[in-house]
Amino acid sequence: MDDHHIEQAWQFYRKLGSPKFICAPMVDQSELAFRMLTRKYGTTLAYTPMLNSKIMVESKTFKDEFFTTCPEDRPLFAQLCGHNPQILIKAALMIQDECDAIDINLGCPQGIARKGLYGSYLLEKRELVLTIVKELKQNINIPVTCKIRIFKDIKRTLDLTKDIQQSGCSILTVHGRTKEQNKDLVGQCDWNIIAQIKQLLQIPVFANGGIYTWSDVERCLQETKADAVMSSEALLENPALFSGQIKDLNELAIEYMQFAKQYNAKLPEIKAHLFKLLYTSLQVHTDLRSKLGSAKTYDQHLDIVIQLNRLRAHIPLENKFGWYKRYQNFKQPQPKDKDIQKLENIIKQQDLSLQNNNQE
Ligand SMILES: Cc1cc2nc3c(=O)[nH]c(=O)nc-3n(C[C@H](O)[C@H](O)[C@H](O)COP(=O)(O)O)c2cc1C
């Protein structure tokens, strides 16, 4: 491998401050407001939601509507999807001055990605992937990074990651699941293959998948030796995940609403965030869940958050990590887990204050 490329990749990573805690690209969910909230609580690098390169190039309004950032929103990687190298280059040129790297989506498993030939379906087209990485690297002035899923065949996965590095990719994120491990088949994430890829490659490698608590973050770094950990679903449920502390989710929801106002989050983004942030409380206060479903304005959404906060909604223990685990076959965490103990203490305190309020 070209030593110069490897050295450049590390210089780039170090220039960003060697970030370890990464907010994943998430359609409709890693928007500016959410990124800023997670940055406040320990995220050291964030990705935009996936942006469709063809739509961005063809539409006059798409870029301004869907690529929003601000000077404090750094370091920032913008993720593109698509399979046409020329279109990807054009789209990257439109945004390269406002982000630190262009990431290529090689992991999306959805039907729409099959139709559009991008994400994990593009990953199957080895030559095209390598051409895209090379062409982008040659034609834009910021680094190119990739986010992949794994294949069932370990050797095929390892060979491809080596080729991607060789083509000029500066950072590789590995989601340790195959494209078939999706929705209710999501199952366990394979950290072992991530560890093998980290050992094989010379560029920085980020581990993604299976993060659920702060202790998972620490364990994942230890077990994979990856340079950073990227989280998606657990971060949606707890935007303060990377702070290593347990925060009150109702209060985080209020803070999110402040960021949403400040950074003009769209109503569907706000609604989707609140359903995840307040998942456990809304399982108890089902009337407010229905109200949230039909809320049509920012103020209506805010009103529900405030009402829940006033109620200091009681979170039943068995539901405490509800949303992330809603269809995952994870084992329940051991009772000794220190995060669980902290949470139990918070719930006990909430119980006490509820009892006190009832007595008053
Ligand atoms: C709401 C949502 C939107 C997502 N959108 C994207 C996306 O735009 N680009 C991408 O590469 N992955 C996307 N993903 C996948 C995540 O980035 C991540 O790879 C996956 O959820 C596994 O990480 P986790 O176990 O921490 O959730 C999305 C996931 C979720 C839950």
Side-chain angles (χ1 to χ4, degrees), residues 189-208:
C189 179
D190 187 348
W191 286 354
N192 185 28
I193 179 101
I194 301 178
Q196 290 185 52
I197 292 169
K198 170 61 197 167
Q199 211 173 17
L200 179 73
L201 298 194
Q202 292 154 286
I203 55 172
V205 171
F206 295 170
N208 172 232

Side-chain angles (χ1 to χ4, degrees), residues 26 71 109 126 150 177 203 234 258 265 285 333:
M26 290 175 277
R126 180 181 163 279
I150 56 170
R177 294 188 178 99
I203 55 172
Q258 288 161 350
H285 298 278

